[in-house]
Amino acid sequence: MVVEIEKKYRLDKKRLVELTSKLRELDAEFSYETFEENYLHRGGVLEGRNAVLRLRKTDRRTTLTYKERIESESDFKHQIEFETDVTDVDATEHIIEQLGYKLAVVYEKHRKAWRLGDVEVVLDELPFGYFMEIEGSIDDIIASEKLLAVEDLEPEVRGYPRLTTKYGRQNENGVFEARFEKAPSA
């Protein structure tokens, strides 16, 4: 079983720019930049387990992820996570649907990721705001907070799906969505 440990923070644009500079200053290794479309499915056994199935599409790959939240009173989010690459997106979507899971949340995200010591630091832009996540062991996350000088930031304990249901829009099919506005075609 793989347990992911991370801490999330809400940022404003100024702090996002400052943290990007700070990561460069600390010689963090830039890993990648990507645009994601995330499709979360719920229902069946997922409901009783506080879990979701996520299909994440980027320009480089598509992954299917099972995430199950482990309840915790701390600011650190603990989740059981299993992930695999998907080669046939349409078939995977049909399998999920045939198993009785329903699309519940869709959100888009611009992500930039760095490696800082033993943690991954990501800076995310979603239609409803800017965020930073630090993933690693609790001790390494705390050490990274000090290096990045972010001990003053309030942690955001809600995940992007829950934030999407709060700040996104519900479409006619009952799916909550947070998508970037598309520029009009010329």
Side-chain angles (χ1 to χ4, degrees):
M1 172 173 63
V2 176
V3 175
E4 171 191 73
I5 301 171
E6 69 180 28
K7 195 168 177 186
K8 183 191 316 277
Y9 318 80
R10 183 179 281 276
L11 308 171
D12 59 21
K13 180 74 173 182
K14 180 179 182 233
R15 197 67 180 263
L16 178 82
V17 171
E18 290 170 357
L19 283 165
T20 302
S21 295
K22 186 72 171 174
L23 286 161
R24 286 187 196 114
E25 206 178 284
L26 293 169
D27 288 327
E29 180 185 336
F30 183 75
S31 302
Y32 63 89
E33 179 175 355
T34 192
F35 173 75
E36 301 174 0
E37 293 177 283
N38 294 273
Y39 299 84
L40 281 85
H41 299 80
R42 294 201 166 111
V45 297
L46 298 173
E47 295 303 319
R49 293 184 176 167
N50 198 15
V52 297
L53 281 177
R54 179 187 68 207
L55 198 58
R56 173 178 282 166
K57 301 174 185 179
T58 71
D59 59 341
R60 296 182 304 168
R61 63 193 263 213
T62 299
T63 54
L64 178 65
T65 307
Y66 171 86
K67 285 187 174 247
E68 181 178 333
R69 187 84 177 251
I70 300 170
E71 290 304 318
S72 170
E73 295 299 316
S74 78
D75 294 331
F76 297 90
K77 184 166 60 170
H78 294 73
Q79 297 185 112
I80 297 168
E81 181 178 281
F82 298 100
E83 188 169 82
T84 189
D85 284 339
V86 170
T87 57
D88 188 332
V89 175
D90 291 335
T92 303
E93 288 172 336
H94 290 300
I95 290 168
I96 292 169
E97 182 180 298
Q98 290 302 308
L99 289 171
Y101 300 112
K102 301 287 182 217
L103 183 61
V105 175
V106 177
Y107 61 89
E108 296 178 337
K109 173 174 52 174
H110 292 281
R111 170 169 277 187
K112 293 181 182 178
W114 287 265
R115 195 92 196 130
L116 179 62
D118 292 327
V119 300
E120 180 181 52
V121 177
V122 298
L123 298 176
D124 292 333
E125 177 186 358
L126 286 91
F128 47 80
Y130 302 101
F131 299 86
M132 175 177 66
E133 292 181 351
I134 303 175
E135 184 179 330
S137 72
I138 291 175
D139 289 341
D140 289 334
I141 292 171
I142 291 168
S144 297
E145 286 177 318
K146 289 177 182 157
L147 281 173
L148 292 167
V150 295
E151 300 100 327
D152 64 312
L153 288 178
E154 284 292 316
E156 174 58 72
V157 295
R158 296 170 292 184
Y160 293 138
R162 192 178 306 162
L163 290 167
T164 298
T165 61
K166 180 173 174 76
Y167 297 110
R169 290 188 294 247
Q170 192 171 23
N171 70 22
E172 64 278 355
N173 297 321
V175 176
F176 286 92
E177 295 184 330
R179 296 182 182 270
F180 292 99
E181 296 294 322
K182 304 289 188 238
S185 301

